[in-house]
Amino acid sequence: MKWIRDLDLSQLQNWMIENNYPKYRAGQLYGWLWKREVDDFQQMRNLPLEMREKLAGEFCLERLETIDNRQSEDGCVKFALRLHDGNIVEMVLIPAPNRVTLCLSSQVGCALHCSFCATAHLGFTRNLSAYEIYGQALMADRLSRELYGMPLGNIVCMGMGEPLLNYDNILKALRMITSPDGMGWSPSRITLSTAGICDGIRRLAEEDFPIHLAVSLHTAVAEQRVELMPVARKYPLQDLSDALAFYHERTGERVTIEYLLLRDVNDRREHVEALLKFCKRFPVKINIIEYNEHPFSPFRASSDAVRDGFIRALEARNLVVNLRHSKGKEIAAACGQLACLKREGRQI
């Protein structure tokens, strides 16, 4: 049995011809596969019954099943999704007054072992397929309309997993989200966040696909970054700087630097100076992120006074700095908290 969404439109047209069906039926089938939430060929009502049965005997459809959801006081909702093989991922809807943002996942678990992140404690199971990524957006758009009375407005690839370690599938999914054959979005509504996979950043720079790029930096002190983010052993800070300079040169786009403030770890004056030095080679916007504490981590959030001083020091050097307040902390839906766990620590 093959996954039918692995086939493009021309391959579906060939399948129709080979099986003595009119070629136009491929377009109808393609619409069901990418414009609607279906996990059963029998739901494709404008296709002949005999064709639906033949498709079901030859192909499989990925399945995303909502098995749990929790809403925080600030309106943020976290959904646990069971995949066809029983694995679970989480996605989060984050409302604002004029838009709703989806934080989607790209992998089951994560292989990077960042010391401050709850998802790291899951380890890595597998990559999500292109449709398992795309399907989160399709489902989230429907849920956004039901819960908040407005369509989904933005997507951030900042959930479980490292997107650039699932490069082909994340790019296929995002291209379908922006395709007229899919959701028809503008790429400018999508941000992809990476922990610093340099070869993936360079590949992305060479794509004709103007989504936004964010980098989880968290410290610009090379030795410290290795301790906090083991991926820095393979992709050292200098290599990351070179990759981001290449990205800006090829795209002309400003990079967003994400910086998680950890009390007495990366929030001192020397860390400000290191960050300023790192950001000299290319234009950046800096998102300062308040740390979301969780039971698996010894780290604590920086005090408000230290945080504000850190921001002022960056702004004094004419950098664009935003303070990002995380939503959904009490339901473990905030940045770095996604771990497919109930609050009391049992796996869903």
Side-chain angles (χ1 to χ4, degrees), residues 199-244:
D199 45 1
I201 292 171
R202 290 177 177 275
R203 285 183 68 185
L204 192 62
E206 294 172 341
E207 300 272 356
D208 181 21
F209 192 42
I211 60 174
H212 300 295
L213 176 66
V215 176
S216 296
L217 188 69
H218 308 318
T219 181
V221 177
E223 300 81 5
Q224 185 181 49
R225 194 165 191 268
V226 170
E227 295 176 3
L228 293 175
M229 305 176 70
V231 68
R233 292 192 183 96
K234 183 174 182 180
Y235 301 106
L237 201 61
Q238 184 59 52
D239 291 358
L240 178 57
S241 178
D242 293 342
L244 293 178

Side-chain angles (χ1 to χ4, degrees), residues 81-282:
L81 307 177
R82 180 157 43 216
L83 310 177
H84 68 91
D85 57 3
N87 280 303
I88 298 168
V89 294
E90 293 179 346
M91 69 175 190
V92 183
L93 285 178
I94 308 164
N98 60 346
R99 70 179 183 274
V100 178
T101 297
L102 166 66
C103 179
L104 65 70
S105 295
S106 56
Q107 296 179 314
V108 181
C110 185
L112 297 188
H113 305 294
C114 296
S115 59
F116 46 80
C117 182
T119 310
H121 290 265
L122 292 176
F124 173 73
T125 301
R126 69 171 176 86
N127 286 329
L128 296 186
S129 71
Y131 182 77
E132 287 169 337
I133 299 168
Y134 175 90
Q136 292 174 66
L138 198 62
M139 179 185 290
D141 185 58
R142 172 179 58 81
L143 291 168
S144 179
R145 295 169 193 268
E146 293 174 0
L147 292 170
Y148 309 111
M150 67 179 90
L152 191 64
N154 296 90
I155 291 173
V156 292
C157 305
M158 298 180 182
M160 297 169 62
E162 164 54 58
L164 293 185
L165 290 181
N166 189 12
Y167 189 94
D168 291 337
N169 287 336
I170 192 75
L171 260 290
K172 180 178 179 180
L174 297 183
R175 286 193 180 278
M176 282 304 302
I177 289 170
T178 61
S179 168
D181 292 328
M183 297 177 69
W185 277 37
S186 165
S188 65
R189 297 165 63 185
I190 300 172
T191 298
L192 184 149
S193 177
T194 176
I197 309 302
C198 297
D199 45 1
I201 292 171
R202 290 177 177 275
R203 285 183 68 185
L204 192 62
E206 294 172 341
E207 300 272 356
D208 181 21
F209 192 42
I211 60 174
H212 300 295
L213 176 66
V215 176
S216 296
L217 188 69
H218 308 318
T219 181
V221 177
E223 300 81 5
Q224 185 181 49
R225 194 165 191 268
V226 170
E227 295 176 3
L228 293 175
M229 305 176 70
V231 68
R233 292 192 183 96
K234 183 174 182 180
Y235 301 106
L237 201 61
Q238 184 59 52
D239 291 358
L240 178 57
S241 178
D242 293 342
L244 293 178
F246 177 79
Y247 181 87
H248 172 65
E249 178 185 341
R250 292 297 297 264
T251 68
E253 294 295 319
R254 180 172 64 176
V255 175
T256 296
I257 299 295
E258 297 173 320
Y259 198 100
L260 187 70
L261 281 177
L262 304 171
R263 182 179 299 179
D264 299 326
V265 175
N266 64 350
D267 59 358
R268 299 169 185 165
R269 184 70 197 188
E270 60 265 33
H271 300 109
V272 173
E273 295 301 324
L275 181 55
L276 288 167
K277 182 178 179 180
F278 181 83
C279 295
K280 283 183 177 180
R281 295 184 66 187
F282 33 78

